[in-house]
Amino acid sequence: MSDGKLSYKEKKVITIGIVSEITGLSQRQIRYYEERNLIFPERTERGTRKYSFSDIEILGDIADKIEEGVQTFEIRKDMIKKAKGKQTREDVNKMIRGQLNAHFNIRK
Amino acid sequence: MSDGKLSYKEKKVITIGIVSEITGLSQRQIRYYEERNLIFPERTERGTRKYSFSDIEILGDIADKIEEGVQTFEIRKDMIKKAKGKQTREDVNKMIRGQLNAHFNIRK
DNA sequence: CGTGTAAGGAATTCTGACACG
DNA sequence: CGTGTAAGGAATTCTGACACG
């Protein structure tokens, strides 16, 4: 299901040197944010990290937070919260649909 | 005008090793098609080639043509023809618009 | 905590050339 | 013509560690 064709934005194909150029972050910083579980590059067969455009956007967000003085641990918590928020919104939709169905099926 | 933000598809950020993995073509083949002016990677400061997803698609098309026995020179002519075709279509649109304007402005 | 850096090795990329056909 | 390959060098990436604070 989650296999096969991903959009260009999500495909992990960019090496760390180019990510560093684009983001302006050092390779050390980029690797450290991975160590802190903020980004998850894939690896080539022989271990070279590969990033997506999406990862580059996330790195930009991380850099902003860091500049604001937010610690990586906090950034991670926010990311988890947001991920859960998305999930919750979907669940809420399901619940609403469930309720509507229950409502309109009362007399059925 | 043609500066600044390009779509992810057009941005040249992928190194030849990864392009080779994705397309199944050898680095030799990829470099040769460049020599024949079929693709135009950019370069990093120190000379490493960088390709876009769009380049990868073009490489797929080239590979198909080569398999069919078409020579690189012919492939190049086709690409130029198609590029001109696009240009012509736009020009045609402009001409049509021009004619329409002329038509509706006759009595003005 | 977040990041710089020197260290040593392994993998990558580059170019020009010879080979086959 | 299109592609493989060996060649030598230069640039890239990786990890684990020490440093500062």
Side-chain angles (χ1 to χ4, degrees), chain A residues 15-17 27 31 43 49:
Chain A
T15 52
I16 197 166
Q27 300 190 185
R31 293 198 190 101
R43 300 275 185 144
R49 273 169 266 248

Side-chain angles (χ1 to χ4, degrees), chain A residues 1-7 11:
Chain A
M1 177 192 176
S2 63
D3 203 3
K5 298 182 189 269
L6 294 175
S7 70
K11 242 181 170 181

Side-chain angles (χ1 to χ4, degrees), chain B residues 5 12 18 20 25-26 29 40 44 69 72 77 79 95-97 99 102 104 107:
Chain B
K5 296 181 188 271
K12 312 242 178 187
I18 292 174
S20 175
L25 298 169
S26 69
Q29 287 174 304
F40 308 94
T44 62
T72 55
K77 282 202 296 186
M79 292 179 75
M95 288 182 66
I96 289 173
R97 246 177 281 128
Q99 287 173 211
F104 287 116
R107 296 171 205 87

Side-chain angles (χ1 to χ4, degrees), chain A residues 47-65:
Chain A
T48 299
R49 273 169 266 248
K50 296 183 294 185
Y51 302 84
S52 65
F53 284 111
S54 184
D55 290 328
I56 288 176
E57 284 189 11
I58 294 170
L59 282 169
D61 295 342
I62 294 170
D64 290 343
K65 294 280 189 76

